[in-house]
Amino acid sequence: MRIESDIKLGFKDVLFRPKRSTLRSRSQVSLQRTFRFMHSGREWTGVPVIAANMDTVGTFEIAKALAEHDMLTALHKHYTEQEWDTFLKDADEDIYNRIMVSSGTSDKDFAKLTSLLERHPKLYFICIDVANGYSEHFVSFVTRVRQAFPDKVIIAGNVVTGEMVEELLLGGADVVKVGIGPGSVCTTRVKTGVGYPQLSAIIECADAAHGLSGQIIGDGGCTCAGDVSKGFGGGADFMMLGGMLAGHDESGGEIVEENGKTFKQFYGMSSSTAMDKHSGGVAGYRASEGKTVKVPYRGPVVNTVQDILGGVRSTCTYVGAAQLKELTKRTTFIRVQEQENRIFNG
Ligand code: 5GP
């Protein structure tokens, strides 16, 4: 047994130190980024915030709304080919830059992915997603997908340590998704005792990925726009959001009325709710590692999107970054014992 005793940080442990700046207004800040992906060689430009591939968040409706802001959506993997056909029927060309196809790692998943990409060859982002990205099987699946689709952008996750980021990038991933346990409806840390504070995971994994010209996605744990900024400040190339985008008109999940208030259901993809819905229940050998919650209904997602992007722009002005690309370089985090003053939070 070993103990690592250097400090690992979550979003709640830091704040940005403000810096002198020549920027006058947040309207001067550009959140667009351009990346060239290491294996596929493709170039992409957009706002690097991604809706999570959960069936309550990564919906076609969310994808349309986020595409208006040049943001991405990882569509959940339970859509049928017919549903994809309908969605893509009158999709303008730019939509292909704004959506990702999700896949698990079974032979059935591979067959479904292959068939979908043959039907719609313009789809080019593939998100291969498992709760635990540390298995050999996962790395070989990523390599198999890379061999089958040399010119697609492959995202693989989730992991939280630099050596596994390197292994996945060398195994064929262009981008690695980072986060084990920080999610709003995740119970992995409670059920298994496994996890890694998300800001430190981002900082360490970004460093490993950038050394090989790869990118990372900080996935999970953002509770507010400030956390999204902290992820970018820590070195994340993309940030992925679940709970922050739940509860809207465009989100999935049933509407629940209680005492005159409206809520929408939101649940983890390995919660018993999701497993009952998609896999005929929780298999006997495993525990559910996700929660089911009700989030207050929040109307159209565009208001939340503006709030998040406005917040990140404002962070950039506080530290003097004219473009999101400069944010990491301009970031000094200070460790803190407090975040906001909650006296009027009820
Ligand atoms: P959030 O933004 O809600 O904090 O986190 C979203 C992320 O939580 C997702 O992108 C995914 O990585 C993770 N997640 C979603 N469902 C589950 C689940 O049932 N269990 C666990 N452990 N993580 C989940």
Side-chain angles (χ1 to χ4, degrees):
M1 194 277 295
R2 256 188 75 208
I3 296 181
E4 276 182 29
S5 43
D6 54 324
I7 286 168
K8 302 295 178 190
L9 303 166
F11 297 130
K12 66 171 195 340
D13 300 315
V14 302
L15 290 167
F16 284 91
R17 181 189 184 113
K19 289 194 176 143
R20 256 187 82 245
S21 151
T22 52
L23 294 168
R24 284 161 172 235
S25 140
R26 63 178 86 171
S27 65
Q28 291 174 280
V29 174
S30 164
L31 297 184
Q32 299 269 337
R33 291 218 54 184
T34 297
F35 296 111
R36 180 173 289 281
F37 299 108
M38 62 182 279
H39 290 286
S40 58
R42 282 182 190 261
E43 197 175 277
W44 175 88
T45 298
V47 173
V49 177
I50 313 171
N53 49 334
M54 304 169 75
D55 63 2
T56 44
V57 177
T59 64
F60 287 135
E61 294 74 20
I62 286 270
K64 273 190 211 149
L66 265 53
E68 301 280 315
H69 299 266
D70 297 342
M71 293 157 69
L72 285 148
T73 299
L75 279 316
H76 68 76
K77 68 172 186 178
H78 300 291
Y79 280 123
T80 63
E81 277 192 359
Q82 288 65 38
E83 287 169 320
W84 273 99
D85 291 352
T86 311
F87 174 67
L88 292 173
K89 202 159 41 105
D90 45 29
D92 77 284
E93 288 295 302
D94 189 53
I95 200 73
Y96 295 99
N97 297 317
R98 311 290 165 223
I99 52 178
M100 299 177 170
V101 178
S102 303
S103 174
T105 58
S106 68
D107 287 339
K108 212 169 137 199
D109 290 321
F110 187 80
K112 187 176 176 193
L113 176 68
T114 306
S115 159
L116 182 62
L117 295 179
E118 276 169 4
R119 240 170 136 97
H120 298 289
K122 287 184 192 160
L123 290 169
Y124 71 87
F125 275 111
I126 304 171
C127 180
I128 309 172
D129 196 28
V130 290
N132 171 7
Y134 281 78
S135 80
E136 234 170 66
H137 166 74
F138 180 60
V139 183
S140 26
F141 187 86
V142 170
T143 305
R144 181 176 170 197
V145 177
R146 168 55 66 213
Q147 282 162 353
F149 304 104
D151 67 338
K152 307 282 184 197
V153 178
I154 298 178
I155 292 124
N158 279 18
V159 299
V160 284
T161 51
E163 89 283 358
M164 207 58 207
V165 169
E166 287 167 2
E167 181 154 353
L168 287 167
L169 292 174
L170 296 173
D174 294 290
V175 183
V176 175
K177 198 147 70 74
V178 172
I180 292 187
S184 58
V185 280
C186 168
T187 56
T188 296
R189 291 178 184 175
V190 190
K191 288 279 167 79
T192 69
V194 177
Y196 213 94
Q198 183 66 353
L199 182 62
S200 284
I202 288 174
I203 293 170
E204 294 169 29
C205 291
D207 191 46
H210 296 162
L212 293 175
S213 305
Q215 283 87 24
I216 66 150
I217 300 173
D219 174 21
C222 290
T223 60
C224 55
D227 291 346
V228 181
S229 297
K230 288 172 189 175
F232 284 126
D237 303 284
F238 298 85
M239 290 295 286
M240 180 173 266
L241 309 177
M244 285 182 73
L245 299 174
H248 298 91
D249 290 333
E250 298 86 348
S251 320
E254 271 159 38
I255 293 174
V256 185
E257 306 274 350
E258 242 177 49
N259 305 327
K261 292 203 180 111
T262 309
F263 299 85
K264 268 189 127 167
Q265 204 187 33
F266 176 52
Y267 47 84
M269 290 312 287
S270 39
S271 64
S272 48
T273 308
M275 287 197 270
D276 286 345
K277 199 165 166 192
H278 301 296
S279 353
V282 182
Y285 62 89
R286 61 185 294 179
S288 90
E289 283 177 27
K291 284 182 228 177
T292 300
V293 298
K294 296 185 299 271
V295 296
Y297 165 69
R298 291 190 272 173
V301 74
V302 61
N303 300 338
T304 301
V305 164
Q306 277 164 359
D307 210 47
I308 296 168
L309 301 186
V312 177
R313 269 195 206 97
S314 190
T315 308
C316 289
T317 59
Y318 272 109
V319 301
Q323 307 173 48
L324 182 56
K325 185 173 190 263
E326 294 167 19
L327 181 57
T328 308
K329 266 191 303 211
R330 307 277 311 182
T331 293
T332 302
F333 285 128
I334 47 169
R335 283 186 52 209
V336 296
Q337 305 288 342
E338 59 176 17
Q339 289 283 323
E340 95 269 46
N341 183 334
R342 299 184 63 83
I343 189 165
F344 294 122
N345 287 23

